[in-house]
Amino acid sequence: MIAEIFFYILSLLLLVFAFKTVTTKLVLHAAIYLIATLMSLAALFILLNAEFLAAVQLLVYVGGILVVTVYSILLVSRVGETVIQFDKRWILMATGVVGVILVGLIYLQMVGLNITNHSLVILSENDTARQIGGAILSLTKEGFILPFELISLVLLSALIGAVLIAKEVRRPGANTENEGGE
Amino acid sequence: MSVGIEHWLVLSSLLFALGVYGVLSRRSLILVLMSLELILNAAGLNFIVFSYYLGGIRGQIFTLFIIGIAAAEAAIGLAIVVRLYRENGSLDVTKASEMKW
């Protein structure tokens, strides 16, 4: 019953934020709307017994990918171009609302209101973090140890590729600015 | 939870559709990349929904790998954004039509 109310509220927020992401005209607004979208998605993950993935999503997606996206938005913006309009404060307020809902869900779950099927997830026997760890590191046929190792290779090659693509090309004898450290 | 699986699947397909609309209609490469992240998250939500309703932990592991791959793809995409801006002076995808090394 409570879970249904949260589902409808959070899915409405998710769709509104996603719609604003793909229709807004300012790039930095779109990044902030995407942050709000991903936070409400993390709250929906909690409703689906995926607390570990909600935390991973917040850390990696919002705190990693979107932060780097905001950096590169600021890097390619020109001087004098409007990047953000601070009179639309409700974007940040809405993100705060979603954050409050997220923390509220976690708190209600811990207090024992049983929003999901688990009782107290941190100390229970079959919490999802333990299952995920067990399945990823298992050497049986159902284990995921091979994709786990392969994805580290994928990330390494992405790292090298990103540095290679974005590297500044020095022509010999040309006058380039000192990039500090290179 | 007594919400049926159809509600979740409708939600993730709406998110996917919004992402596809964003990829097709945006002119700046960074906005295209952000809509692509919406698509990936819709797929990840789908996997977790199936893991919840059909049992097993494999859906969540798939989503974990999707998040990892999305991180790698975002790194490369943003490196391309930086490079494109340096070469062309703007991020307009309709103007990026030369393929040269």
Side-chain angles (χ1 to χ4, degrees), chain A residues 128-166:
Chain A
T128 49
R130 186 183 306 233
Q131 286 178 353
I132 289 177
I136 283 186
L137 294 176
S138 86
L139 294 165
T140 68
K141 216 170 179 86
E142 325 257 302
F144 285 91
I145 187 123
L146 183 61
F148 177 67
E149 301 293 339
L150 286 179
I151 201 172
S152 61
L153 278 180
V154 167
L155 286 169
L156 177 68
S157 58
L159 193 68
I160 297 176
V163 169
L164 197 63
I165 290 176

Side-chain angles (χ1 to χ4, degrees), chain B residues 40-56:
Chain B
L40 285 167
N41 272 298
L45 177 65
N46 228 346
F47 271 115
I48 293 186
V49 164
F50 280 118
S51 162
Y52 180 77
Y53 280 96
L54 302 179

Side-chain angles (χ1 to χ4, degrees), chain A residues 1 3-4 7-8 11 14-15 18-19 21-25 27 30-31 34 37-38 41 44-45 47-50 52-53 56-57 60-61 65 68-69 72-73 75-78 117 128 131-132 135-136 142 144 147-148 151 154-155 157-158 161-162 164-169, chain B residues 1-3 7-8 11 14-15 18-19 21-23 25-26 28 30-31 33-38 40-42 44-45 48-49 52-53 56-76 78-83 85-86 89-91 101:
Chain A
M1 178 57 190
E4 282 182 1
F7 169 70
Y8 286 119
S11 57
L14 181 76
L15 291 173
F19 180 73
T21 304
V22 298
T23 55
T24 180
K25 292 213 173 23
V27 174
L34 191 60
T37 310
L38 294 178
L41 196 64
L44 281 172
F45 283 178
L47 282 179
L48 287 169
N49 288 352
F52 178 68
L53 275 166
V56 164
Q57 164 116 3
V60 170
Y61 237 118
I65 297 177
V68 172
T69 304
S72 63
I73 288 173
L75 194 66
V76 301
S77 70
R78 297 189 205 95
N117 283 339
T128 49
Q131 286 178 353
I132 289 177
I136 283 186
E142 325 257 302
F144 285 91
F148 177 67
I151 201 172
V154 167
L155 286 169
S157 58
L164 197 63
I165 290 176
K167 192 166 147 47
E168 203 166 299
V169 176
Chain B
M1 184 179 1
S2 51
V3 183
H7 296 75
W8 287 101
L11 176 69
L14 281 176
L15 199 61
L18 283 171
Y21 171 72
V23 167
S25 75
R26 297 302 229 164
S28 167
I30 297 188
L31 291 168
L33 281 177
M34 288 199 282
S35 312
L36 203 59
E37 303 294 335
L38 275 183
L40 285 167
N41 272 298
L45 177 65
I48 293 186
V49 164
Y52 180 77
Y53 280 96
I57 198 67
R58 280 185 291 190
Q60 298 193 14
I61 295 182
F62 269 92
T63 304
L64 196 61
F65 284 121
I66 286 177
I67 291 178
I69 295 283
E73 166 252 330
I76 299 276
L78 291 172
I80 291 179
V81 160
V82 164
R83 185 66 181 264
Y85 184 74
R86 192 186 302 144
S90 87
L91 287 175
W101 173 242

Side-chain angles (χ1 to χ4, degrees), chain A residues 27-40:
Chain A
V27 174
L28 202 54
H29 281 198
I32 295 178
Y33 280 127
L34 191 60
I35 290 177
T37 310
L38 294 178
M39 284 173 71
S40 42

